Amino acid sequence: MDVIDLFSGPGGMSSGFAQLPEHFNHIAAVDIEAGKPGLKTSKGTETYCNSTYERNIGVVPYKADLSKLDPAELRYNVGIAQGDLGVLISCAPCTGFSQKMARNLVEDDPRNHLVERTGLFVDEFMPAFLVMENVKELLSGKHRHHFDGLRRKLCELGYSLHAEVYNLANYGLPQKRNRAILIARRDGLPVNGLTHPVALPRTVRDAIAHLPPLVAGQTDPDDPMHACPSHTSVTLERMKAIPQNGGSWGDIVQTHPHLLIPSMIGKRAGSYPDVYGRMWWDRPAPTITRECASPGNGRYTHPEQDRMLSVREMALLQGFPADYYFEGTLTQKYNQIGDAVPPLISAQIAQAVVEMQFGSPSKIHCQDFPDGPLFAGRIAAK
C-alpha cells in the first residue's frame, strides 16, 4: 500500500508505518518546515524536519504550504492515479485547538481550517485509508466544527470512520499523552481503532535508565543524539537544589529563595509545578511538547542528573526507534520530537490498517528496551 504523509514533520507517523515494510511503501511527503506557522503574520521558525524525514524514511518531502497547495497538483507530481493510494496521513497542526493556549478559547486559529482542507486531498486521491492524529480538543473543544466539517466530507465520499481520544500511556507509550486519533476507510466497512492496551504502563525508568550518564552540555561519543544543552551557572545551581525523582521549584521556595525566577516570586508553590521539575523514574513521563528544549518550559529535567533530558532520552519517551537520527540544531531536534506523532503509536495504527485491509495481524518490528521488545506479548493476534 502506497503512503503519502501530509504535515510529515520529522516522520513520526511515517516511522510507524515503515515498521511494516512488507505492507507499506512511502512515496511522498509534504511539510512547510515552519514551527507554528500561520498565526497572523508569523512565518514560523525553521524546523529542519524535512531533512530528518529524508534521512530516516528515505523520501525527500515537498516543502510546500498545505493551506495553498492544490491537491490535483500534488497528485500529478506524485504520479498516482485516483483511487490507487493506500494510506493518506494528514496530521494538521494542533496548536490552534489546544485549550492550554488561552487565546484558543476566544479565537479560531486560521491553521485549524487545515483539518477540513484534508477533505479536499481525500477527494482528489480517494485513498483506501485516511489517518489523522491531533490533540483531544479536536473532538471535544471549542473548535470541533472543523472536525465535523471533515467528517461530513468523508461521509459524502462514502468513507466510514472511527475517531476517539486515547491516553497513549495505555498503549505502551512511556508518557502521559491524550490524543485524538481518526481512521477512515473508503470501503465503508467497520473501522478499527487502537485495540491492544498494555497491562502495565511503561515508565521513564523503562525507557531511558540504560543510557550512560551525561553532564549538561555533553554529547555521548557513541550516540550523537544522546546530547543535552549547557546551562548558566544559576540554572545549574537551581537544578542541583531541586530534589531528585519528581522535585520541582515549589520544593525550594523556602530553602533557596534566591534561585527563584521573577515569575515564581509571590506565587503559590503549587502553581505551575512542572516548571524546572524533574521527571519521576517510576511514572510515565509528562506530555512532551515542542517547547521541551528548555527546563523552564516544563518537567523536562532528568530524575537524578543535573541536566535536561537529552535528545535521545526525549525521543525514546516519545516512542521513536532507538537509532532515529534528528537533523538541525539542538533546539530544532527537541522541537521536532515534541511536534511528532509517537512512532510507537503510529506502528499500532499501521497494524490496525493491516488487519482491516488484509484480515490478519502482521508482526511489528520495533526498538528494544533493556527488558526486551516494547511490543513483546502486547500486540496479540485477534
Side-chain angles (χ1 to χ4, degrees):
M1 302 179 73
D2 287 335
V3 178
I4 293 178
D5 192 343
L6 309 181
F7 311 99
S8 50
M13 186 66 89
S14 285
S15 176
F17 281 80
Q19 292 177 39
L20 295 171
E22 66 273 27
H23 292 302
F24 300 108
N25 173 48
H26 291 80
I27 61 172
V30 184
D31 199 284
I32 197 174
E33 275 198 307
K36 296 187 175 180
L39 182 61
K40 300 188 186 300
T41 59
S42 172
K43 294 182 179 179
T45 57
E46 180 70 31
T47 66
Y48 223 68
C49 63
N50 287 352
S51 296
T52 297
Y53 189 98
E54 178 184 359
R55 177 161 188 155
N56 293 277
I57 308 301
V59 172
V60 180
Y62 295 95
K63 186 172 183 176
D65 185 348
L66 282 157
S67 69
K68 301 175 181 177
L69 181 63
D70 182 357
E73 178 186 348
L74 177 61
R75 188 169 68 82
Y76 174 81
N77 289 336
V78 173
I80 189 169
Q82 189 175 58
D84 283 355
L85 183 64
V87 180
L88 179 67
I89 296 169
S90 181
C91 298
C94 64
T95 305
F97 289 101
S98 175
Q99 292 180 356
K100 291 182 179 180
M101 307 291 289
R103 66 172 178 267
N104 292 341
L105 299 176
V106 294
E107 296 180 15
D108 191 356
D109 192 302
R111 291 165 291 187
N112 294 344
H113 294 281
L114 292 168
V115 169
E116 289 175 280
R117 200 165 195 276
T118 294
L120 301 180
F121 287 87
V122 175
D123 197 359
E124 178 64 34
F125 283 89
M126 291 300 293
F129 293 89
L130 168 69
V131 170
M132 178 179 287
E133 185 261 15
N134 210 296
V135 293
K136 62 185 177 65
E137 288 85 0
L138 174 71
L139 302 182
S140 60
K142 180 180 178 64
H143 307 301
R144 180 198 157 98
H145 57 277
H146 294 290
F147 164 75
D148 289 334
L150 174 61
R151 177 181 53 80
R152 286 192 296 269
K153 180 65 173 178
L154 292 173
C155 291
E156 289 172 5
L157 295 173
Y159 283 76
S160 54
L161 69 149
H162 169 90
E164 185 175 342
V165 174
Y166 293 90
N167 177 358
L168 302 185
N170 293 334
Y171 294 85
L173 189 70
Q175 177 193 155
K176 293 186 293 185
R177 194 176 187 89
N178 293 311
R179 287 296 185 268
I181 293 175
L182 179 151
I183 305 174
R185 60 188 299 183
R186 186 182 60 208
D187 59 18
L189 295 175
V191 182
N192 298 343
L194 300 181
T195 56
H196 304 294
V198 298
L200 294 171
R202 304 289 301 195
T203 67
V204 171
R205 188 186 303 277
D206 294 329
I208 70 171
H210 64 290
L211 294 174
L214 296 175
V215 297
Q218 184 182 12
T219 299
D220 183 349
D222 296 323
D223 181 3
M225 296 300 101
H226 190 30
C228 57
S230 57
H231 300 292
T232 65
S233 58
V234 173
T235 298
L236 282 175
E237 188 180 357
R238 185 180 300 120
M239 285 181 169
K240 291 177 181 178
I242 290 174
Q244 294 183 359
N245 199 22
S248 73
W249 74 270
D251 296 309
I252 64 171
V253 170
Q254 301 299 325
T255 57
H256 298 78
H258 64 289
L259 295 178
L260 302 181
I261 61 177
S263 61
M264 295 175 181
I265 297 173
K267 296 290 193 303
R268 293 183 298 104
S271 301
Y272 305 101
D274 287 342
V275 173
Y276 282 97
R278 293 184 183 272
M279 291 190 184
W280 289 271
W281 271 127
D282 297 311
R283 302 184 189 180
T287 303
I288 293 170
T289 69
R290 77 179 317 272
E291 286 78 24
C292 66
S294 169
N297 290 337
R299 193 175 291 274
Y300 300 131
T301 302
H302 193 278
E304 293 180 357
Q305 299 165 36
D306 299 322
R307 61 173 177 84
M308 278 273 299
L309 262 67
S310 71
V311 171
R312 177 64 71 210
E313 289 165 333
M314 212 73 81
L316 290 175
L317 292 174
Q318 187 72 321
F320 276 91
D323 60 351
Y324 214 82
Y325 194 101
F326 299 88
E327 300 283 3
T329 66
L330 201 59
T331 296
Q332 287 170 332
K333 291 170 183 174
Y334 282 111
N335 292 163
Q336 290 174 31
I337 292 167
D339 274 342
V341 177
L344 189 153
I345 300 301
S346 59
Q348 296 179 62
I349 296 172
Q351 173 76 22
V353 171
V354 168
E355 293 183 13
M356 286 184 282
Q357 179 71 6
F358 303 108
S360 61
S362 179
K363 183 181 179 182
I364 290 181
H365 311 284
C366 60
Q367 73 269 29
D368 289 343
F369 276 73
D371 59 349
L374 191 58
F375 285 98
R378 303 183 189 277
I379 302 297
K382 282 191 173 181

